[in-house]
Amino acid sequence: MNHDVPRFQGGRRLLTGSLGLALLGALGLVIGAFVAPARLAFSYLTALASAATLAIGALIFLMIVHSMRAGWPVAVRRVVEAIVSALPILALLFVPLLFVLDRLYPWLRPELAHDEHARHLLEHKRPYLNGPAFVVRAVVYFGIWIAVGALLRRWSLRRDADPARDVSTRFVNLSSLGLPVVGLALVFARSE
């Protein structure tokens, strides 16, 4: 690693502006919790699902690239890995949804269904569609995505620290074998 290259020192203004906007967003979140909690829950879920979709899409892209042994994505690899590294934060941001699941998913309260047929279907699906099972599935999905992303990133950083280290076989094996698992976890998570 070349230590003679000066590090970028700019960006303070951008960071300050971003933090200001984040505080404004947090204030809006607090106001929304009192004014329209159900609407806030749906908006929060939508935002979280959008961000998670981007991060998981980046993970799938990274895995496809490694599976194909493609060389061109090296120019964007760090950006893609940075997006994937947001998955643990997104898992933490999922936790507040656990407190409003009954507002988001009508299958948690089948007794409120107006139609007798719909109520019967919800009761029939209750072994799968219930709060604890939903939480367990979410933990499994996030666990898969985070573990695969973390391994790929760790191996990538090790290879950069020691270019003589050949970890390409690890990349290919994990990506090739893990791609169906990651993809199925995404499909099942989107169907919740």
Side-chain angles (χ1 to χ4, degrees), residues 5-172:
V5 177
R7 297 191 81 174
F8 176 71
Q9 299 294 324
R12 290 186 202 277
R13 211 166 119 196
L14 179 64
L15 184 61
T16 303
S18 298
L19 288 174
L21 289 173
L23 289 174
L24 186 64
L27 177 65
L29 190 75
V30 170
I31 291 170
F34 291 107
V35 174
R39 185 176 261 176
L40 171 71
F42 282 109
S43 297
Y44 189 88
L45 175 62
T46 301
L48 183 65
S50 297
T53 300
L54 290 172
I56 297 162
L59 176 62
I60 290 171
F61 170 76
L62 190 63
M63 294 175 77
I64 289 170
V65 164
H66 287 309
S67 295
M68 296 183 329
R69 297 181 190 257
W72 69 265
V74 73
V76 295
R77 186 184 69 210
R78 283 290 179 244
V79 174
V80 174
E81 289 174 350
I83 295 169
V84 171
S85 69
L87 283 167
I89 296 167
L90 294 171
L92 286 176
L93 290 173
F94 180 80
V95 172
L97 289 175
L98 300 178
F99 300 103
V100 293
L101 286 178
D102 59 334
R103 292 178 190 242
L104 294 169
Y105 301 108
W107 44 261
L108 282 171
R109 299 178 295 165
E111 65 277 357
L112 297 180
H114 298 295
D115 180 22
E116 183 64 34
H117 180 67
R119 186 175 16 259
H120 175 72
L121 286 176
L122 289 174
E123 288 295 339
H124 180 71
K125 296 176 183 180
R126 195 166 210 128
Y128 183 79
L129 294 177
N130 62 67
F134 176 82
V135 172
V136 168
R137 289 190 302 271
V139 168
V140 169
Y141 301 150
F142 273 110
I144 290 169
W145 300 325
I146 291 169
V148 172
L151 281 173
L152 290 175
R153 176 134 169 98
R154 182 180 314 144
W155 294 340
S156 177
L157 292 173
R158 284 184 185 166
R159 179 177 58 188
D160 287 352
D162 182 11
R165 176 184 291 218
D166 184 28
V167 292
S168 59
T169 304
R170 287 182 180 180
F171 284 134
V172 172

